[in-house]
Amino acid sequence: KILIIGACGQIGSELTLALRALYGNEQVIASDIREGNEELMRSGSFEILDATDKNTITSCVRKHKITDVYLMAAMLSATAEKYPDKAWDLNMNSLFHVLDLARDKEIRKVFWPSSIAVFGPSTPKRDTPQQTVMEPSTVYGISKLSGERWCEYYFKNYGVDVRSIRYPGLISWKTSPGGGTTDYAIEIYHKALQQGTYECFLGKDTVLPMMYMEDAIRATISIMQADAQSIRVRSSYNLAAISFDPEEMAETIKEHIPDFTISYAPDFRQKIADTWPQSIDDSSAREDWGWKARYDLKTITADMLSNLQSLV
Ligand code: VAH
């Protein structure tokens, strides 16, 4: 049985639905610090669970006979800069609790999300390699780099089968943005439909690696289904789809909403974005477990606008 911790988050909410569709609703237990939306709550079991509380996680694992845990709870980059100690506590202690359960054979397999935020200002910005200089300067990036090092340590020293992906910025419509620096790429569609204009909190030339949620969910399921010996990277895999700046994104929106306008008012999140790469080399993920992105910016814009249009 599968337990998703952080099932109400941007990735967790869609991952829960995808895993329930794949394995059956009764095989997937969703959990979060608070209840989720109606679709999430209606489709299967749900537990209120604080990801920093090891006792609650342990009793949930034993109650439901959990074998696989997807630990999706985290504080993202923008919010983490405001609450460094809370971000470290949530992002790190939740990981130690789950890795320790795997070390102690209470569970069999772990998925843990990392991020391109593990790269810093000194990292090569184009086609960032799987192995390279990593000096993250954000609280979130520091916690994700430390987490990667611990995942590899638990694999090498205790044989823990933990698998991880460095997600780029993720674009989705099912949940509202959650404190990320890349959330402009979600807000822009809502504002385009509601107001026909968007004031972007990143500058127009800010190129960042991005991915549609459908691609991210497929990658997550794919790495977890791969044979253990094909997973040669036990820190975290680079993953890539597309790279673009807000201006390019606005151009694809104008193809659907001709008089859409964008303006720029960079805020504190510009400093975070400026430390991240512009494009990622994901050849290790392609070679080891057959990864390949499907969505490009035009298809993302078409899909986002049609889904959001049906919501407003
Ligand atoms: C954030 N969406 O903005 C997350 C992600 C690469 C960005 O880690 O913090």
Side-chain angles (χ1 to χ4, degrees), residues 190-263:
H190 292 262
K191 292 286 193 275
L193 287 168
Q194 289 159 6
Q195 300 163 0
T197 184
Y198 178 56
E199 183 179 85
C200 186
F201 57 73
L202 296 183
K204 74 183 185 60
D205 301 322
T206 310
V207 176
L208 288 170
M210 295 280 193
M211 178 178 288
Y212 204 38
M213 183 60 75
E214 273 71 4
D215 271 339
I217 299 298
R218 186 166 47 83
T220 308
I221 292 173
S222 173
I223 192 174
M224 286 295 270
Q225 289 184 330
D227 294 337
Q229 66 273 11
S230 64
I231 306 297
R232 291 178 309 131
V233 172
R234 290 288 181 165
S235 49
S236 188
Y237 276 92
N238 280 6
L239 202 72
I242 50 180
S243 293
F244 57 81
D245 60 32
E247 195 78 356
E248 285 173 74
M249 187 167 235
E251 287 313 305
T252 63
I253 293 173
K254 285 178 191 162
E255 288 167 19
H256 298 261
I257 307 173
D259 47 7
F260 170 68
T261 59
I262 185 168
S263 60

Side-chain angles (χ1 to χ4, degrees), residues 76-82 116-117 125 137-138 140 176-188 191 198-208 210 246 263-277:
L76 296 185
S77 60
T79 313
E81 288 304 303
K82 294 176 187 164
I116 59 162
K125 287 220 176 287
S137 52
T138 63
Y140 177 69
S176 48
T181 298
T182 57
D183 291 345
Y184 88 86
I186 298 171
E187 291 174 6
I188 189 170
K191 292 286 193 275
Y198 178 56
E199 183 179 85
C200 186
F201 57 73
L202 296 183
K204 74 183 185 60
D205 301 322
T206 310
V207 176
L208 288 170
M210 295 280 193
S263 60
Y264 299 95
D267 68 9
F268 76 100
R269 288 167 285 193
Q270 185 66 50
K271 282 196 296 295
I272 298 171
D274 288 343
T275 68
W276 291 347

Side-chain angles (χ1 to χ4, degrees), residues 263-302:
S263 60
Y264 299 95
D267 68 9
F268 76 100
R269 288 167 285 193
Q270 185 66 50
K271 282 196 296 295
I272 298 171
D274 288 343
T275 68
W276 291 347
Q278 294 187 341
S279 63
I280 301 289
D281 171 358
D282 63 355
S283 45
S284 295
R286 292 165 183 260
E287 287 154 19
D288 293 2
W289 42 276
W291 162 247
K292 187 164 179 9
R294 291 185 187 153
Y295 285 82
D296 64 12
L297 184 51
K298 277 183 181 301
T299 36
I300 290 170
T301 293

Side-chain angles (χ1 to χ4, degrees), residues 12-13 16 29 47 59 66 89 140-141 153 169-170 197 248 292-293:
S13 54
T16 301
I29 314 301
E47 298 277 3
S59 50
I66 299 297
D89 175 38
Y140 177 69
Y153 183 91
L170 298 182
T197 184
E248 285 173 74
K292 187 164 179 9

Side-chain angles (χ1 to χ4, degrees), residues 1 3 29 45-47 59-67:
K1 285 228 178 132
L3 171 64
I29 314 301
S45 307
F46 186 93
E47 298 277 3
S59 50
C60 183
V61 161
R62 290 175 178 164
K63 172 184 171 186
H64 293 283
K65 298 182 177 48
I66 299 297
T67 57

